[in-house]
Amino acid sequence: MTNKGLSEDKFSELRRRAQVYLTGQSSDEPEVAVEDVRRLVHELNTYQVELELQNEDLRQAQEELELARQKYADLYEFAPVAYLTVTARGLIDEANLTAAEMLGVERRGLLGQPFSVFILPADQDIFYSHRQKLLETKNKQTCELRLQKQDGTIFHAQMGTVIRAEIDGQGGQFRAMLTDISPLKWAEEKLQEYSQALKIEVCKRTAELEEEKHKVEAASRAKSEFLAVMSHELRTPLNAILGFTFILRQAAGDFFTDDQQGYLAEIDKSGHHLLAMIQEMLDIARLERDTEPVGCQAFDLDRQLAQCVLACQEKYANMAMEVAFAKDKPVGIICADKDKILQVVENLLGNAFKFTPDGSLVALSAACKKEGAATWLQIAVTDNGVGIDAKDFARIFLPFEQVDSSSTREFGGVGMGLYKAKKIAELLGGRLELTSSLGQGSTFTFFLPVGVGYDCQGAPPR
């Protein structure tokens, strides 16, 4: 290794003497040992190589430093936000190219300018309050300002400020970062306008719908009143027809032939059918007008359901149907509106008998089920007929609707049975549900809350 303690003059002298010796030139200088000269030349060469390596390292370090400086300059100058350094006097001391472009001023013309000249007068108080809070807390602060470019263009900006690390902040110098949020503000304003317009439109449509609702309710009341009046008016002459038909049938054996007696029987049958339809229309009119009172009486549900089954069997005695009443666990006495419950059950049984082919089974069951803290009575009517498609579930509960209009011609009726049953169930605070699939039969379930004062076994609460 090179003897770094040797001076430059000494190295020069040794080198000169070594060159003289190696070239064979005569010299008056004292002779130098050959080994010493060779060692000295080797050390000089090593020293030169080390210097060259150090120079290469220095060049690489300088290149890396230049790349880092360029990278920093690019990040700073072309950052997506504007960077400014504001002095204690409020003057712009440093600014990147983004800041100059954002404010519409060349950078050299921007330096030394008061930052406040770019703030709208109406927002000056926001800026000074922001600056005061920054100096007091020494923490980063953020606010929104309206700035004005040199050409007069106004834009919204979000400003974040921090105290420079190399000063104590007492003098008021800080760094500012500006972001143009004008597109965001424009979008917010448009959204606000659309929201306001939507509110106005919603209020307008709500008023229109409310008006339409009143009209529909008025029309419904008028229809119900018309049905009630017409039903009463129709029953008067119909009762006279049925009365005189009864008198004629009493004397038919003496005055009428068998065919004529058959005609009277058909008149009587059709009259009673029409009377039942009129009564059903009256019931529906009362339900729709919400004038139907709800009663409450204690009665044995199982006994009443058994009587419904017998009555239905007698009514449809000409049909080869099997009907069963399941009472594995009797319900017992309940407190409710007996007549309305039986109306629902009779409608469901009649519907099952009418729309189930001969030879089928119709089952009636009743049970009480707990749903949370409430107890519900469930009366179900099940048949094994052709079933109902799921797409028709909602439609069959509408007035004057039937799955197949041909069934009306075959069995009669106007499609009000299920509608009436549903209205009664809702009037009693319950509901009517259907489960069915084509070819698998149907089950209509009447859910009813158990009357206050009685449980499902008929015993008053303790």
Side-chain angles (χ1 to χ4, degrees), residues 306-360:
Q307 291 179 357
C308 280
V309 170
L310 291 175
C312 199
Q313 285 176 326
E314 292 178 2
K315 185 176 181 180
Y316 298 99
N318 61 327
M319 300 177 65
M321 302 288 291
E322 182 181 352
V323 61
F325 175 42
K327 49 180 180 179
D328 295 338
K329 187 177 181 181
V331 173
I333 298 174
I334 64 170
C335 183
D337 193 318
K338 181 181 73 172
D339 292 337
K340 289 184 174 57
I341 291 177
L342 296 181
Q343 283 185 54
V344 173
V345 175
E346 288 169 2
N347 271 284
L348 297 180
L349 283 172
N351 194 70
F353 269 79
K354 285 199 298 182
F355 299 103
T356 302
D358 285 354
S360 298

Side-chain angles (χ1 to χ4, degrees), residues 6 9-19 40:
L6 296 175
D9 292 340
K10 181 64 174 178
F11 275 112
S12 299
E13 176 64 17
L14 288 174
R15 185 169 184 175
R16 184 186 64 78
R17 291 169 60 188
Q19 287 176 345
L40 181 60

Side-chain angles (χ1 to χ4, degrees), residues 138-248:
K138 303 296 189 298
N139 295 325
K140 179 181 178 181
Q141 301 296 322
T142 304
C143 70
E144 292 184 5
L145 296 169
R146 287 174 297 171
L147 302 181
Q148 188 172 19
K149 296 183 179 182
Q150 192 176 44
D151 61 2
T153 304
I154 298 174
F155 66 97
H156 291 266
Q158 184 181 66
M159 181 176 72
T161 56
V162 293
I163 297 294
R164 292 186 61 176
E166 60 267 25
I167 61 175
D168 59 9
Q170 297 300 321
Q173 190 169 353
F174 61 89
R175 291 189 186 276
M177 292 150 285
L178 301 176
T179 304
D180 187 350
I181 59 172
S182 295
L184 178 61
K185 284 294 183 181
W186 179 85
E188 289 178 353
E189 291 174 1
K190 288 298 180 183
L191 184 61
Q192 186 67 24
E193 291 176 5
Y194 293 149
S195 177
Q196 190 64 28
L198 183 60
K199 287 180 181 178
I200 295 173
E201 187 64 24
V202 168
C203 291
K204 180 181 176 182
R205 290 294 300 155
T206 301
E208 292 175 353
L209 290 173
E210 192 68 24
E211 183 179 355
E212 290 296 324
K213 177 185 175 185
H214 291 323
K215 291 180 180 179
V216 170
E217 289 175 348
S220 179
R221 286 194 299 271
K223 179 201 70 175
S224 298
E225 292 171 1
F226 172 77
L227 288 174
V229 171
M230 290 303 298
S231 298
H232 281 294
E233 294 298 324
L234 288 172
R235 283 206 305 177
T236 301
L238 184 59
N239 283 329
I241 293 172
L242 291 175
F244 285 117
T245 302
F246 176 76
I247 294 173
L248 288 173

Side-chain angles (χ1 to χ4, degrees), residues 90-138:
L91 304 179
I92 299 174
D93 185 48
E94 296 176 1
N96 65 351
L97 292 176
T98 305
E101 182 181 358
M102 183 179 293
L103 298 174
V105 183
E106 290 187 5
R107 181 160 57 177
R108 58 185 178 182
L110 186 62
L111 303 180
Q113 289 275 1
F115 178 63
S116 59
V117 301
F118 298 100
I119 303 174
L120 286 185
D123 290 359
Q124 292 285 343
D125 290 343
I126 298 176
F127 169 68
Y128 288 116
S129 175
H130 172 92
R131 181 183 178 187
Q132 184 65 27
K133 189 174 182 181
L134 173 69
L135 297 178
E136 289 175 357
T137 63
K138 303 296 189 298

